[in-house]
Every structure is written in C-alpha cells, then in structure tokens.
Amino acid sequence: AQSVTQLGSHVSVSEGALVLLRCNYSSSVPPYLFWYVQYPNQGLQLLLKYTTGATLVKGINGFEAEFKKSETSFHLTKPSAHMSDAAEYFCAVSGNNDMRFGAGTRLTVKP
Amino acid sequence: DTAVSQTPKYLVTQMGNDKSIKCEQNLGHDTMYWYKQDSKKFLKIMFSYNNKELIINETVPNRFSPKSPDKAHLNLHINSLELGDSAVYFCATGDSLGVSGNTIYFGEGSWLTVV
C-alpha cells in the first residue's frame, strides 16, 4: 500500500525566510505525488504534482518540490516566505482508486 | 461558478439526529469522493464512487450511507449522529479512476458539529 509521512506537524519561519516542508513516501510502484494547501476554513487546493518526467516540479505561489527516488522524498520548498503562506500543507500519494494524505504540516509565518 | 459545491457549509445538530450533506460537481469528472477531516486535520477517505458505482468503502460505520443519483452528485447521509462524528467532511472529484496521477479537486467542506 502507498503512504506518505510528513515530518513535523508544525513549522515556523520568519517572513522572507526559506520554507522547507518534508514529505517521505512509501510505494511499491512509481509514485504520483502531490502537495495541497488548506487555508483556514477552506478546502484543499492543489499546489503542485509529480507524475513522470522532470523531478523538480514548480507549482503555484512560488512553491516547488523535488522528487528524489533515492531518498523516497518529495519535500516542498519556497525561497522566501510570505505572511499569506500561513496554512496547513498536505503531502499526498495517488493510487489507482484514491489519494492518501499525510498528517499535514501547519506553517506559521512570523513578521 | 464553484467546481465542487457542498451544502450546508456549517451544521450543528443533536446526537441521534439524521442529517445529509449534498455535493455537486460541474467538472464532468467520473469519480467522486467523501473525505473526513478530524480535529487534528487528519484526512481519511470514506467513500469513492465512479460513474455512480461504489468503488471504495473504507471502514466506516454503516450509519454513513453515500448516495449518487447521477455522475454529478454524491450525497452523504448520516443516521443516528454521535459526538464522534463531529468533523469536517470534504467532497472531492477526480477524472479517470484507475489512472494514477489523477488530481483530486476538493469542495469547501462541511463543518459538522454534534452536540
């Protein structure tokens, strides 16, 4: 069965600092990986996804993620945090029938 | 024009009541889902429907019954509500079930509080 593990339930950065949210996956087949963002009292919005091809994937709002098979990782980064990035972030892996999510990482951005 | 819409957004009800949450999508997708998000933000799939046919039914009490009258709608009916049912319920859709890499699109969520 496919699964993802997000390291760190809460990450706090200063405005302008690097954002790094960690995600490791477990899959017996080539994985399809996603990052979603959830703002307070809203649904989940797709940030980016990796299916095949280029391992560095660029998403919306300046986020990107790199698929590293050797490390079974798909970490999310952004060079410079903005106050509006404060939200809950979910890593997910897609199988044939559904999508399985990590436990989420809450990102706090300090002024 | 909202792609995946759920109603109601907020629902407060007493234990033992029966309630329904409705979901409609206008994306033309074949597959619809219900996810439950608990107070710790953990997301767990409950049901998956493809072209009105139940595909996934995770370990969910049989008090929860999904109904798909057509491909664009997937409603969730909950009988005999319990305190532990308090959560946010998300409807979601995706295209081409069985094709990995399928992006799932979420509704805004329905906040259910059982008192």
Side-chain angles (χ1 to χ4, degrees), chain B residues 39-56:
Chain B
S39 58
K40 296 183 178 179
K41 301 291 187 182
F42 185 70
L43 271 164
K44 181 176 170 57
I45 190 167
M46 300 174 69
F47 302 102
S48 165
Y49 266 75
N50 186 50
N51 277 322
K52 302 196 302 175
E53 180 183 351
L54 180 65
I55 302 299
I56 292 174

Side-chain angles (χ1 to χ4, degrees), chain B residues 21-95:
Chain B
I21 306 172
K22 296 185 178 181
C23 178
E24 177 181 5
Q25 57 107 352
N26 63 9
L27 296 171
H29 288 163
D30 292 334
T31 309
M32 296 187 72
Y33 309 83
W34 278 107
Y35 280 83
K36 179 180 179 181
Q37 185 174 47
D38 62 23
S39 58
K40 296 183 178 179
K41 301 291 187 182
F42 185 70
L43 271 164
K44 181 176 170 57
I45 190 167
M46 300 174 69
F47 302 102
S48 165
Y49 266 75
N50 186 50
N51 277 322
K52 302 196 302 175
E53 180 183 351
L54 180 65
I55 302 299
I56 292 174
N57 183 355
E58 291 288 307
T59 307
V60 175
N62 57 15
R63 298 182 295 104
F64 291 79
S65 53
K67 293 286 190 323
S68 182
D70 55 58
K71 206 172 79 166
H73 295 84
L74 180 62
N75 304 323
L76 183 65
H77 189 75
I78 315 171
N79 289 327
S80 303
L81 278 156
E82 301 177 356
L83 293 176
D85 297 332
S86 296
V88 185
Y89 293 86
F90 285 101
C91 178
T93 74
D95 53 9

Side-chain angles (χ1 to χ4, degrees), chain A:
Chain A
Q2 296 173 304
S3 65
V4 289
T5 301
Q6 291 183 241
L7 305 175
S9 60
H10 188 199
V11 170
S12 181
V13 301
S14 298
E15 192 172 19
L18 171 71
V19 175
L20 171 60
L21 304 182
R22 300 177 187 272
C23 173
N24 287 90
Y25 69 88
S26 173
S27 177
S28 57
V29 297
Y32 297 93
L33 298 161
F34 302 75
W35 276 99
Y36 282 82
V37 60
Q38 184 180 25
Y39 298 104
N41 296 326
Q42 293 188 25
L44 279 74
Q45 178 184 357
L46 180 69
L47 272 178
L48 50 82
K49 73 176 184 181
Y50 168 78
T51 52
T52 57
T55 55
L56 182 62
V57 181
K58 295 187 184 299
I60 61 172
N61 301 339
F63 284 93
E64 61 183 36
E66 187 171 10
F67 171 69
K68 291 187 176 180
K69 185 177 178 181
S70 61
E71 298 177 8
T72 62
S73 69
F74 190 57
H75 301 332
L76 181 71
T77 60
K78 182 174 180 177
S80 176
H82 192 273
M83 296 296 291
S84 61
D85 294 327
E88 193 87 20
Y89 291 81
F90 293 91
C91 182
V93 61
S94 174
N96 279 337
N97 292 324
D98 65 0
M99 186 174 290
R100 303 284 169 155
F101 289 84
T105 298
R106 177 175 297 178
L107 176 65
T108 302
V109 182
K110 298 174 291 187

